[in-house]
Amino acid sequence: MKYSNKTILRFYQLLGKIFYAAAAVDKTVRKEEMTALRESVKAHWLAFDDTFDEFETDSAYQIEIVFDWLTDKHPDPGKAIHSLQVFKEKYPDLFTEKVKVMIMKTASAISSSFSAKNKSELVFLSRLERALEETDFHKTLVL
């Protein structure tokens, strides 16, 4: 299914929120985590599709823009998984196996970029993986 540029833009903004949560779940966003995000965007997400924002910039850069904005604002990273579930329920075809693998690889790279993954990061990654694999949003609310 082909989605509008607006939907793809919102998808990338959601990913920025998810990847921010992967970095901030331990209450600190480190420089190494920001570097890991930028490397992943360049290596994987820029080639994902050919959509552009209103400034003719590749839409995938929305991941970095939202990540940076959230890093400045310090919101609760705990709400990111719920946002993913809601978006995934509305646009399930966007979440192909390839996309799910790319999301997990990016989140994992961010989490392991500074030292080893700590307990809060491991729990977040587990919740993220479960949310990506879950086919019915309401099942995950029971947790």
Side-chain angles (χ1 to χ4, degrees), residues 9-55:
L9 197 64
R10 288 181 48 227
F11 172 67
Y12 285 132
Q13 291 167 347
L14 170 71
L15 292 180
K17 189 175 189 177
I18 292 295
F19 301 145
Y20 164 78
V25 71
D26 62 356
K27 310 281 190 254
T28 304
V29 177
R30 293 178 172 80
K31 185 176 125 183
E32 293 85 355
E33 293 167 321
M34 297 172 115
T35 300
L37 171 79
R38 282 168 177 56
E39 289 172 0
S40 184
V41 167
K42 286 178 188 154
H44 305 291
W45 295 104
L46 287 175
F48 178 66
D49 70 5
D50 59 354
T51 58
F52 295 89
D53 64 16
E54 65 270 15
F55 303 108

Side-chain angles (χ1 to χ4, degrees), residues 110-139:
I110 292 166
S111 295
S112 62
S113 65
F114 181 82
S115 190
K117 294 178 187 111
N118 62 38
K119 184 177 178 180
S120 59
E121 291 167 332
L122 289 172
V123 169
F124 175 81
L125 291 172
S126 176
R127 288 184 59 222
L128 177 59
E129 185 172 37
R130 199 168 46 244
L132 287 169
E133 294 305 320
E134 188 65 57
T135 56
D136 183 359
F137 166 65
H138 301 291
K139 289 180 187 174

Side-chain angles (χ1 to χ4, degrees), residues 68-87:
D68 291 344
W69 185 80
L70 293 171
T71 299
D72 288 342
K73 299 296 178 191
H74 309 289
D76 177 8
K79 298 177 182 180
I81 298 285
H82 177 75
S83 296
L84 171 81
Q85 291 167 320
V86 170
F87 192 86

Side-chain angles (χ1 to χ4, degrees), residues 89-115:
E89 188 173 84
K90 189 169 182 178
Y91 304 104
D93 294 340
L94 263 174
F95 293 87
T96 64
E97 284 306 310
K98 179 181 177 181
V99 168
K100 290 187 240 181
V101 167
M102 287 171 47
I103 291 170
M104 288 306 301
K105 278 186 175 182
T106 303
S108 185
I110 292 166
S111 295
S112 62
S113 65
F114 181 82
S115 190

